Amino acid sequence: MAKKKAQATWGGRFSEKPAELMQRFSESVSFDSRLAPFDIQGSKAHSAMLAHVGLISKKERDAIHRGLDTILAEIAAGKFTWDVQLEDVHMNIEQALTKRVPAAAKLHTARSRNDQVATDMRLYFKAACTEIIQRLDAAQRAILGVAEQNRDVLIPGYTHLQRAQPVFLAHHLFAYLEMLQRDAERFAAVADHANWCPLGSGAIAGTTLPIDREFTAKTLGFTDAAGRPRVTQNSMDAVSDRDLYIEFASACALVGVHLSRMAEDLILWMSAEFKFVDLPDMFCTGSSLMPQKKNPDSMELIRGKSARLQGNLHTLLTLAKGLPLTYNRDLQEDKPPVFDSHDQTAICLEVLAGTFAGLTVLRERCAAAVADPALLATDLADYLVRAGVPFREAHHAVGAVVRLAEERGVALDRLTHADVRSVHPKFGRDWVTSFHLDKAMARRRGTGMPGPAQVTRQFARWKKLLG
Ligand code: ARG
C-alpha cells in the first residue's frame, strides 16, 4: 500500500503523492478556474452523450447533471473551495462531483483532460470573441458620437507628423472605425475557427468505446450554419493544436496596435502644441509635484498595454514552436497569456470608449490650424492641371510659388496675381480661389475621400453598421 495517500485521479500507479513544491509548481487551478462554466457545460454534454449511447444510464446522467448544476451555483456564489492539490479546474470539479454523486466515477469514460481542456478552451474562445466584438462596437459608437457632435470641424491631416492637407475631423475618426471594424471581423473569424468540437479525441488516439462525437458537438453548439455538427478530424491535431490561442492573442495584439495609435493621436492633440482636444478629467491624472499638470494617462496606459498584448502573442508562438506532437505539459502555460490578452483588450476598449465619450473638441484651435493656406498647395497644382499643365510641371511651379511666399514672408494666398503669373503663365485671376477651404473640400468627392458629400455618406454607413 502507498505510504501517503496517492493522487485521487491519476494516482493508481504511484506510491507517493507529489511534493508540496511540485503541487505549487504544477497547479493551474489558480488561473484555469475561470473555465469552470465551460468545463461543466462540456461535462454535461459528454455525460448526455454517454447516456445516449448507453454507456451510462439516464438516471446516472441526471444525477451527474444535478451535481454539476449545484457545483456551478456554488462556484458562482463564491462558495466552492478550490484545492491546488487537485491541480486544475477539471479535477477539482470532478472530485467535488464524485464526493456527492457516485455515478460521477463514470463521467470521465472515453474522455481525457487533453480533449477536455481543448473543448473548454474552444467554448471559452467563442464567448470571449463575442464579448470583445461587443466592446469593439461600444468603442466605435463612442468615436462616432464625437464625429457627430463635430461634423463641421476641419483639422489638418498629417504625414510625417507635418501638416499635409485638410480633412474633416470626422474623416480622421472614421479611419479609427475602419480599424476597429477589421478587428471585429478578425474576432468573428477566430470564433468560427473555434467552432469545432475536439471531444472524442481522447488523450491522443480516441477511444475503443462506441461514443457519438456528433451528438456531443451538437449539444455544445459546435455546428455550422445549417445546424450540422462540426467535429475535429484528427485526434492528434485536436489535442495539440494551439493555433486558436495564437490567433486570438494576435487579434488582441492588433487591437492593441490600433488603440495605441489612436492613443498617440489623442496624446498629441491634447498637448499645448496642438490643443485640438481636451480629454475628460475622469480619464486623466495630475502630477504630485507640478500643480498645473493634467496628463493623458488613460491613453498612455493603452499605449503601454499594447506592448503587453504583443508580449502575450510572442509567448504563445514560442510556447508552441518545437513541441513534438501531441500534448505536452508545457501547454498548460498557454492559458495565462490568453486570459491576460482577453482581459487587457477588454478593459482598454472600455477605457477608450469612456475617454472618447467625455472628449471635448477645441474648435477654434482646429480652425486656426486648418486655416494655413499651405495645406492647399496641392489644390493650387491641381488648378494648373485643370488648365492643361502636366502635373510634374504644375508641382514645380507651385513649389516656386511657395518659395516666393517664404522669401516675401507672406502667406501663400497673400501673393499677387502678378507674382504667381511671373512663375507660370497659366495662373489666371481666379488662382486664389484654390484656397477657399469649402470649395477645396467639396472637390474631394470620390469614395473614401474627405469631402462633405462623402462624410455624409460615411455617417449614414456607420450609423447603419453600428445600428
Ligand atoms: N491543466 C492541464 C492543461 O491546462 C490540463 C490537461 C492536462 N493533461 C495532462 N495530460 N496532464 O494543460
Side-chain angles (χ1 to χ4, degrees), residues 28 32 88 90 113-114 117 327 329 331-332 335:
S28 57
D32 67 16
D88 56 23
H90 322 293
R113 271 186 298 157
N114 295 351
V117 72
Y327 179 84
R329 191 64 183 276
L331 291 176
Q332 183 168 286
K335 280 162 224 68

Side-chain angles (χ1 to χ4, degrees), residues 153-156 158 163 268-278 360-372:
V153 173
L154 287 160
I155 55 166
Y158 293 77
R163 285 180 183 169
L268 283 171
W269 288 359
M270 194 179 122
S271 69
E273 283 68 18
F274 280 78
K275 240 184 176 354
F276 290 174
V277 299
D278 194 20
T360 313
V361 174
L362 304 174
R363 293 160 155 266
E364 268 122 64
R365 289 283 304 210
C366 295
V370 83
D372 180 357

